[in-house]
């Protein structure tokens, strides 16, 4: 078990890690545990495929006290200041949007810095994004005509992803393609992942990766876990993700309680 004196920053995935079994709200004691860690000199970063404003709402009681690694590594903030931003070439983004738009049953999500853009094929998609995922969304008449830079282009299939391998083969080497859950596929600029975003954060804050703990469960956490000195996997993580970890936990809250008790 890591000693808190060795850890300067904790980067924690959300869906499947801090938020279990489809939960969309934090446990009652989560923010208190994060406060206790920060009082011991450990910075907390939410590391997620979610948007910045979504994460701020989720961590509302401590939203100004923590850092954010957003959009699967394309964007980061700390203390209200943007630390870095990666964007996708517009031509590639348009190609991705067209491919998703032409796929039966697939919905498009374009991630900007503060809002996401959708042109729902089904009204249920709008309600899912607004009321379940709780994104700040802008509904547009033409998904191809949004003017903001593309941070991430995502595919959503309500009944679950049908053919992840198609997207991996079709766009391999041109952008980063990762699953973001059973129904989501995220495409970020080439070379962008949670580890690349975390490197920007560590450089800006002057922290060595050996003094970082990362917690995750899925493929989009792999590079981040491989980067840090203290990788932790959820017990429910995929086997190859668990193989990277130095230890495992059933919940993030139990991990934090153990850290604080040492």
């Amino acid at each position: 078990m890591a000693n808190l004196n060795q850890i300067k920053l904790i980067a924690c995935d959300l869906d499947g890690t801090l938020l279990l079994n489809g939960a969309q709200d934090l446990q009652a004691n989560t923010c208190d545990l994060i406060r206790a860690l920060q009082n011991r000199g450990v910075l907390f970063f939410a590391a997620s495929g979610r948007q910045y404003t979504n994460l701020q709402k989720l961590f509302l009681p401590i939203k100004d006290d923590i850092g954010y690694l957003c959009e699967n590594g394309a964007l980061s903030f700390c203390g209200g200041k943007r630390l870095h931003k990666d964007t996708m070439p517009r031509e590639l983004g348009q190609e991705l949007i067209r491919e998703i738009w032409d796929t039966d049953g697939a919905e498009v999500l374009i991630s900007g810095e503060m809002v996401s853009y959708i042109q729902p094929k089904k009204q249920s998609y709008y309600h899912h994004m607004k009321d379940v995922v709780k994104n700040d969304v802008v509904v547009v008449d033409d998904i191809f005509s949004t003017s903001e830079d593309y941070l991430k282009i995502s595919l959503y299939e309500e009944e679950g992803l049908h053919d992840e391998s198609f997207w991996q083969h079709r766009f391999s080497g041109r952008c980063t393609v990762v699953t973001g859950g059973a129904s989501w596929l995220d495409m970020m600029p080439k070379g962008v992942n949670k580890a690349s975003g975390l490197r920007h954060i560590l450089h800006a804050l002057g922290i060595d990766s050996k003094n970082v703990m990362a917690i995750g469960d899925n493929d989009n956490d792999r590079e981040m876990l491989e980067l840090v000195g203290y990788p932790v996997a959820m017990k429910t993580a995929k086997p190859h993700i668990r193989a990277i970890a130095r230890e495992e936990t059933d919940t993030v809250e139990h991990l934090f309680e153990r850290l604080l008790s040492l």
Side-chain angles (χ1 to χ4, degrees):
M1 186 68 176
N3 187 304
L4 273 185
N5 293 329
Q6 301 166 309
I7 300 172
K8 304 300 181 187
L9 185 149
I10 295 175
C12 183
D13 172 54
L14 293 189
D15 298 290
T17 300
L18 191 58
L19 300 175
L20 295 174
N21 303 314
Q24 296 296 323
D25 296 296
L26 301 176
Q27 296 294 316
N29 65 336
T30 305
C31 288
D32 288 339
L33 289 168
I34 292 172
R35 281 197 189 99
L37 287 167
Q38 301 217 136
N39 288 339
R40 296 276 294 273
V42 180
L43 292 170
F44 178 86
F45 270 74
S48 175
R50 298 187 181 211
Q51 68 176 188
Y52 175 50
T53 54
N54 178 298
L55 293 172
Q56 284 195 307
K57 285 181 281 189
L58 181 66
F59 289 92
L60 187 61
I62 54 173
K63 71 180 181 68
D64 296 324
D65 303 320
I66 66 172
Y68 303 90
L69 176 55
C70 323
E71 308 291 0
N72 274 332
L75 184 68
S76 63
F77 288 87
C78 187
K81 176 185 176 183
R82 191 180 76 198
L83 299 183
H84 94 286
K85 176 180 177 179
D86 289 306
T87 60
M88 182 181 293
R90 188 164 187 84
E91 182 179 353
L92 174 58
Q94 291 268 304
E95 185 179 347
L96 285 164
I97 294 166
R98 171 58 65 189
E99 198 75 58
I100 298 170
W101 186 259
D102 289 343
T103 300
D104 289 342
E107 299 276 7
V108 182
L109 179 76
I110 299 174
S111 296
E113 187 167 324
M114 296 293 172
V115 300
S116 51
Y117 302 91
I118 61 174
Q119 184 184 352
K121 297 176 183 177
K122 294 170 60 177
Q123 192 65 15
S124 59
Y125 176 51
Y126 168 74
H127 290 300
H128 178 74
M129 294 309 304
K130 181 177 180 293
D131 301 325
V132 179
V133 179
K134 299 177 183 177
N135 264 22
D136 287 343
V137 294
V138 174
V139 177
V140 297
D141 294 327
D142 182 0
I143 197 69
F144 296 94
S145 297
T146 60
S147 59
E148 188 174 357
D149 289 337
Y150 301 142
L151 276 74
K152 184 183 72 179
I153 307 291
S154 301
L155 172 151
Y156 173 75
E157 292 180 295
E158 186 176 3
E159 302 300 323
L161 296 174
H162 289 121
D163 191 3
E164 175 192 344
S165 62
F166 165 80
W167 302 91
Q168 294 282 1
H169 292 307
R170 177 82 166 78
F171 294 100
S172 177
R174 301 173 63 197
C175 63
T176 301
V177 182
V178 295
T179 54
S183 296
W184 287 97
L185 197 71
D186 294 334
M187 279 75 82
M188 287 79 65
K190 183 179 179 180
V192 169
N193 52 49
K194 289 183 182 180
S196 68
L198 185 55
R199 286 190 188 94
H200 285 291
I201 292 167
L202 299 182
H203 177 75
L205 301 179
I207 297 174
D208 195 302
S209 61
K210 70 182 181 182
N211 299 122
V212 176
M213 173 178 284
I215 315 164
D217 75 307
N218 213 333
D219 289 331
N220 63 347
D221 303 313
R222 179 178 58 80
E223 294 91 349
M224 178 175 74
L225 293 171
E226 290 173 338
L227 172 66
V228 304
Y230 297 93
V232 179
M234 303 303 293
K235 289 184 177 180
T236 52
K238 296 180 178 181
H240 61 278
I241 299 299
R242 294 171 64 189
I244 300 168
R246 290 178 60 165
E247 62 180 286
E248 298 178 7
T249 188
D250 58 344
T251 72
V252 171
E253 288 79 12
H254 287 163
L255 172 68
F256 288 174
E257 288 168 352
R258 293 201 305 273
L259 283 170
L260 289 163
S261 69
L262 295 176

